[in-house]
């Protein structure tokens, strides 16, 4: 009989294989109108991961906003349930973002580990010692703590499984962008995606620019095929990324018309 840990690892491997088999080329040629909705949370995550835009001068692994996931599936309760399962199976991690009260990013665990390794390779060039704290973080903290936040005492306790830690070790993790101190409670940290800062700025600015664009139209609406071709001045993320985000967060809605899908402002 297989143990629960073996079963969990088996599921993780199966999901990872599904991700690796996905074809980015195929997804690139699909318009947003053709792939706006899904019946399965993992299928939606895989598609949006493959469609994540290439960003010049920023090395960031693909991530999906939770609002984008909500835009693609009808039953949000089911989405939350399936997302929780994917977290428990260590297929994805969920991160709280500072771009809005309810903003969360979802990243496949393997992509997150690659992101950490990329940041650590730059740190390693500048540091002669202290790098072991990052390995302890990956081995003892990430693998054990699946929630978006962690308390100071619990963080120190898990890190100490690797060896003796010092106050400056926590500062190293903060400086590397792996954790952020909560404003409300400084003894609690949010897990973070390293090097995401400039992209977060683009999310906020792109939202404002897209809403402003639709507000300037006569009926506060535009055909999806037309809107998707527009270029944003203040965001390095593409229009498809922002349309999904704003539909899922309730600022935009889609309406089927005789000539195709319309995107309308739903909030002023």
């Amino acid at each position: 009989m297989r143990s629960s840990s073996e079963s969990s690892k088996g599921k993780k491997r199966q999901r990872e294989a599904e991700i690796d088999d996905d074809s980015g080329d195929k997804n690139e040629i699909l318009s947003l109108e053709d792939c706006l909705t899904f019946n399965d949370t993992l299928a939606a995550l895989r598609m949006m991961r493959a469609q994540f835009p290439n960003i010049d001068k920023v090395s960031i692994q693909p991530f999906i906003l939770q609002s984008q996931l909500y835009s693609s599936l009808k039953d949000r309760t089911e989405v939350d349930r399936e997302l929780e399962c994917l977290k428990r199976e260590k297929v994805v991690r969920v991160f709280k973002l500072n771009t809005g009260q309810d903003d969360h990013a979802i990243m496949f665990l393997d992509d997150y580990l690659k992101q950490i390794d990329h940041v650590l390779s730059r740190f390693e060039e500048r540091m002669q010692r202290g790098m072991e704290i990052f390995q302890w973080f990956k081995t003892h903290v990430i693998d054990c703590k699946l929630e978006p936040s962690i308390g100071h005492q619990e963080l120190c306790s898990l890190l100490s499984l690797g060896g003796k830690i010092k106050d400056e070790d926590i500062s190293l993790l903060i400086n590397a962008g792996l954790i952020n101190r909560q404003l409300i409670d400084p003894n609690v940290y949010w897990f973070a995606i390293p090097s995401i800062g400039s992209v977060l700025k683009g999310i906020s600015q792109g939202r404002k620019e897209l809403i402003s664009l639709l507000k300037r139209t006569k009926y506060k609406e535009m055909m999806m095929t037309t809107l998707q071709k527009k270029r944003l001045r203040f965001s390095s993320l593409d229009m498809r990324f922002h349309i999904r985000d704003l539909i899922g967060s309730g600022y935009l809605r889609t309406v089927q018309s005789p000539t195709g899908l319309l995107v309308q402002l739903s909030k002023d």
Side-chain angles (χ1 to χ4, degrees):
M1 184 175 178
R2 298 176 68 192
S3 69
S4 59
S5 63
E6 288 175 333
S7 176
S8 176
K9 289 177 182 176
K11 289 179 182 176
K12 181 175 184 291
R13 284 195 294 268
Q14 180 183 350
R15 294 193 188 278
E16 287 170 343
E18 288 173 344
I19 293 165
D20 291 338
D21 288 342
D22 199 26
S23 169
D25 293 338
K26 178 180 67 177
N27 291 330
E28 278 302 313
I29 63 174
L30 293 173
S31 76
L32 186 52
E33 191 166 351
D34 294 328
C35 58
L36 189 61
T37 58
F38 299 86
N39 295 317
D40 175 76
T41 300
L42 183 58
L45 286 169
R46 288 169 56 205
M47 175 70 84
M48 285 184 268
R49 173 184 181 270
Q51 291 181 341
F52 189 81
N54 292 321
I55 306 173
D56 292 338
K57 300 178 182 178
V58 177
S59 182
I60 186 82
Q61 293 293 319
F63 64 88
I64 300 96
L65 298 179
Q66 196 159 337
S67 56
Q68 294 172 322
L69 201 53
Y70 287 152
S71 76
S72 301
L73 296 113
K74 293 180 181 179
D75 189 340
R76 293 193 176 201
T77 302
E78 182 64 22
V79 170
D80 291 341
R81 187 160 43 240
E82 291 183 3
L83 192 57
E84 188 63 28
C85 287
L86 292 172
K87 281 170 51 183
R88 297 299 165 197
E89 291 170 11
K90 300 181 182 179
V91 176
V92 302
R93 284 192 74 95
V94 178
F95 302 87
K96 176 75 177 71
L97 303 181
N98 62 10
T99 49
Q101 184 175 356
D102 297 320
D103 282 354
H104 290 81
I106 304 158
M107 185 176 272
F108 283 94
L109 179 59
D110 286 350
D111 289 335
Y112 175 52
L113 294 175
K114 287 177 189 174
Q115 187 71 17
I116 291 177
D117 288 341
H118 175 74
V119 170
L120 297 193
S121 67
R122 295 185 317 184
F123 259 70
E124 204 164 13
E125 294 172 3
R126 307 199 304 261
M127 295 175 59
Q128 300 300 317
R129 55 184 179 173
M131 291 299 295
E132 65 271 9
I133 192 66
F134 298 119
Q135 189 57 51
W136 299 346
F137 181 80
K138 287 175 64 177
T139 304
H140 302 297
V141 180
I142 292 173
D143 194 56
C144 176
K145 188 68 175 177
L146 306 180
E147 299 307 312
S149 63
I150 187 169
H152 180 79
Q153 290 302 323
E154 185 178 9
L155 176 62
C156 292
S157 177
L158 290 173
L159 287 171
S160 66
L161 294 174
K164 188 175 181 180
I165 66 165
K166 307 179 287 293
D167 288 342
E168 50 262 38
D169 291 331
I170 304 300
S171 297
L172 273 176
L173 295 175
I174 294 173
N175 292 336
L178 294 172
I179 55 174
N180 293 322
R181 201 183 296 273
Q182 282 193 15
L183 296 177
I184 298 174
D185 186 349
N187 289 314
V188 178
Y189 307 95
W190 293 115
F191 288 103
I193 301 172
S195 304
I196 200 175
S198 62
V199 183
L200 293 183
K201 185 178 180 182
I203 291 174
S204 298
Q205 292 182 330
R207 285 171 173 169
K208 294 175 184 177
E209 190 176 352
L210 177 49
I211 289 171
S212 176
L213 173 66
L214 287 173
K215 279 184 175 180
R216 293 196 302 272
T217 63
K218 186 175 182 181
Y219 298 108
K220 296 183 173 59
E221 64 184 25
M222 192 176 292
M223 298 301 300
M224 175 72 84
T225 51
T226 304
L227 183 60
Q228 197 176 325
K229 294 174 184 175
K230 298 285 186 182
R231 298 292 298 270
L232 293 167
R233 294 172 55 205
F234 302 111
S235 173
S236 53
L237 297 156
D238 61 15
M239 186 63 83
R240 178 168 53 190
F241 185 97
H242 289 291
I243 293 172
R244 285 193 188 280
D245 169 38
L246 289 173
I247 290 173
S249 55
Y251 285 91
L252 302 180
R253 61 172 174 250
T254 56
V255 178
Q256 192 65 48
S257 75
T259 54
L261 203 62
L262 268 174
V263 181
Q264 300 176 331
L265 273 181
S266 56
K267 291 182 180 180
D268 289 328

